[in-house]
Amino acid sequence: MASKRTAEHFVKVLLQVCEKSAMIARAWRFQEELFELLVEEKTGKEKNKRFTRDFKTLADVLVQEVVKHDVIREYPEFKGFIFGEESNKFTNNNGQEIVMEVQEDIAATFRHLVSVIDGNEKAAQLLADIIHTEISLETNEARVLRDKLDFELPLDELAIWIDPIDCTAQYMSNSPGKMVNGILVSGITCATVLIGVFHRGTGVPVAGVINQPFFSEAKDKQKNQQWRGRRIWGVAYNEHCYSFLGNNPKLNQNDEFVSDRNFKIAVSSSESEEIKDKLLSSGVEIVSVSGVGHKLLQVIDKNVDFYILSHASSYKWDTCAAHAIICSLGGDVISFDEALALKSNMKDIDKIGLLKCRLKYYTPDDKKGEKWSNTSGVIAFLSFSKVFELLQYL
């Protein structure tokens, strides 16, 4: 049996809680009792002003608290070092402030959830059952963990960023999405659960787990919609760089990353026209894709050569998990502005210079009021040689 301090055991715990989070996301979206809570609060006249947060946020917070609870139960040294976007404080219809916390057994969690969601016992029971379920990994997943991750991590030097449900708008839509040139650019499949691990002292990513709760769809005997998820992970610690991206042979990490000179680049719909014009004039193909996590997955899956974001609209919790996986594959995620400044100041950019532009996760890097945003933008890539060429276009 793996020591609790081995990367094998640690990543296994992250995968288990990530799958539990995906189960919550699926249940909350498709169980009628839960989805009614998601849509109960809206903007304008429909919004209940007595709530400090809406039930849509409650879904995010519950996932966030489940991750905290399960990880700290196994690794107490992470207490105070698991971070996310959401506060876990709510005000219910009675004006009572409630702190969302996972309890130690199913009965206590049920009672706590009843108090949070105004006495809805059926919904509370559905959630409590998932929160306290035991997750087993697939045989192949467990084998890969055992074969690749037989080394220790300095767990008391690490911290975690969580994005409970990234791409919330697409998550709420239940749209099957739209394909553009073989890439799914919108729809519920774009939603992801992101758990990223970084070193407290250096801020560099160490490990990442991503779950796509709505990766593939099937119908049960009653022709009801059923979704299966996809779990992937990567570890990049010192000389140890390993990943598991599922069973797609295209994604073997030992394959040479091959792409023609006409790069394909994922961008946000909010990307500046100036940047898009520069790229298009250089002959690259641009694809507008929903969700930061989903865009980064397009790089991991080799559907695009790069993800580019030239402004401060992504956050540490958005990028940390995928950044670690990309590093495990030999690529990186760097600051857009810093990379362009480096190009301006250096005649010949090398890998060592470019690594100084790597995103860091231990301290805010913004001066624009968005405390944990990646304020200087993002360039994500698998190939250093190709990013050197890309920088000549910008």
Side-chain angles (χ1 to χ4, degrees):
M1 182 178 294
S3 161
K4 285 186 66 170
R5 299 196 68 82
T6 61
E8 175 191 348
H9 189 276
F10 181 56
V11 174
K12 179 181 177 181
V13 170
L14 297 183
L15 286 167
Q16 289 171 325
V17 73
C18 202
E19 180 58 27
K20 190 180 294 187
S21 301
M23 291 171 64
I24 293 170
R26 286 190 290 266
W28 213 305
R29 186 61 189 76
F30 292 110
Q31 292 280 356
E32 183 178 355
E33 295 80 7
L34 297 175
F35 188 69
E36 286 177 354
L37 297 181
L38 282 179
V39 299
E40 182 169 331
E41 287 217 329
K42 300 193 183 280
T43 59
K45 293 180 180 178
E46 294 180 347
K47 184 172 177 60
N48 186 333
K49 292 182 172 59
R50 285 181 291 178
F51 283 84
T52 58
R53 299 209 175 243
D54 60 24
F55 280 122
K56 180 175 166 181
T57 304
L58 178 59
D60 287 322
V61 173
L62 184 58
V63 170
Q64 185 170 288
E65 294 307 306
V66 167
V67 174
K68 288 182 180 178
H69 174 270
D70 285 15
V71 172
I72 292 171
R73 181 181 58 192
E74 287 290 319
Y75 300 104
E77 57 266 51
F78 277 91
K79 187 172 184 179
F81 292 99
I82 301 179
F83 310 111
E85 178 180 7
E86 307 291 350
S87 166
N88 64 342
K89 293 182 180 179
F90 288 84
T91 302
N92 66 12
N93 268 332
N94 299 319
Q96 177 186 9
E97 185 174 85
I98 296 174
V99 177
M100 169 68 75
E101 292 179 326
V102 175
Q103 309 299 309
E104 288 308 309
D105 60 62
I106 192 169
T109 296
F110 165 74
R111 291 191 297 270
H112 181 65
L113 287 170
V114 168
S115 71
V116 173
I117 54 181
D118 289 335
N120 189 328
E121 294 189 358
K122 189 171 184 179
Q125 192 64 62
L126 284 168
L127 292 170
D129 288 344
I130 295 173
I131 289 167
H132 291 278
T133 195
E134 293 295 324
I135 302 295
S136 297
L137 300 185
E138 296 175 0
T139 302
N140 189 38
E141 278 183 302
R143 178 187 59 78
V144 174
L145 288 172
R146 185 174 58 251
D147 291 348
K148 293 186 174 183
L149 301 185
D150 186 21
F151 56 90
E152 290 193 354
L153 291 172
L155 299 179
D156 55 355
E157 299 176 12
L158 304 181
I160 291 174
W161 275 113
I162 309 166
D163 192 343
I165 304 175
D166 185 52
C167 204
T168 308
Q170 300 300 322
Y171 169 66
M172 294 291 292
S173 73
N174 195 28
S175 165
K178 177 183 177 183
M179 295 286 290
V180 175
N181 295 336
I183 297 175
L184 190 69
V185 300
S186 64
I188 195 169
T189 304
C190 298
T192 51
V193 178
L194 310 171
I195 303 176
V197 184
F198 66 94
H199 191 275
R200 298 178 201 171
T202 64
V204 301
V206 172
V209 171
I210 298 178
N211 195 310
Q212 292 176 275
F214 309 98
F215 181 65
S216 60
E217 185 181 11
K219 302 287 184 180
D220 62 18
K221 292 180 180 179
Q222 289 74 40
K223 296 186 178 180
N224 294 318
Q225 188 178 36
Q226 296 289 322
W227 287 97
R228 286 180 56 84
R230 172 198 183 195
R231 298 186 291 266
I232 70 172
W233 57 263
V235 176
Y237 175 66
N238 293 339
E239 74 278 10
H240 304 290
C241 290
Y242 301 106
S243 62
F244 179 75
L245 307 180
N247 297 315
N248 187 340
K250 167 188 173 185
L251 304 178
N252 186 319
Q253 71 178 41
N254 295 317
D255 290 345
E256 180 69 21
F257 182 40
V258 177
S259 173
D260 59 31
R261 293 177 60 87
N262 296 321
F263 296 143
K264 186 178 289 188
I265 301 175
V267 298
S268 167
S269 60
S270 63
E271 187 53 74
S272 75
E273 293 302 319
E274 179 184 0
I275 295 298
K276 289 191 286 188
D277 287 346
K278 281 185 179 180
L279 294 171
L280 289 170
S281 66
S282 300
V284 308
E285 179 182 348
I286 293 176
V287 185
S288 179
V289 181
S290 298
V292 174
H294 188 62
K295 283 189 274 284
L296 288 162
L297 271 175
Q298 303 316 301
V299 177
I300 292 169
D301 287 345
K302 302 180 182 178
N303 292 325
V304 300
D305 300 273
F306 306 100
Y307 162 41
I308 289 179
L309 179 66
S310 66
H311 51 273
S313 63
S314 73
Y315 292 82
K316 302 301 181 187
W317 50 77
D318 291 322
T319 56
C320 187
H323 190 169
I325 297 172
I326 288 170
C327 286
S328 77
L329 297 169
D332 221 304
V333 183
I334 59 176
S335 158
F336 179 92
D337 288 348
E338 291 179 18
L340 263 61
L342 185 70
K343 181 191 78 169
S344 299
N345 296 327
M346 293 182 64
K347 183 177 180 180
D348 295 311
I349 306 174
D350 59 16
K351 181 176 179 179
I352 293 174
L354 204 60
L355 284 175
K356 295 178 181 177
C357 304
R358 172 185 281 175
L359 298 190
K360 302 290 179 61
Y361 294 91
Y362 61 154
T363 186
D365 60 9
D366 85 304
K367 300 178 179 63
K368 304 175 184 178
E370 295 287 350
K371 185 176 181 182
W372 288 106
S373 68
N374 298 310
T375 59
S376 299
V378 170
I379 302 176
F381 57 92
L382 291 180
S383 167
F384 277 87
S385 62
K386 293 183 183 300
V387 81
F388 298 147
E389 185 174 351
L390 171 74
L391 291 173
Q392 303 309 311
Y393 301 161
L394 295 169

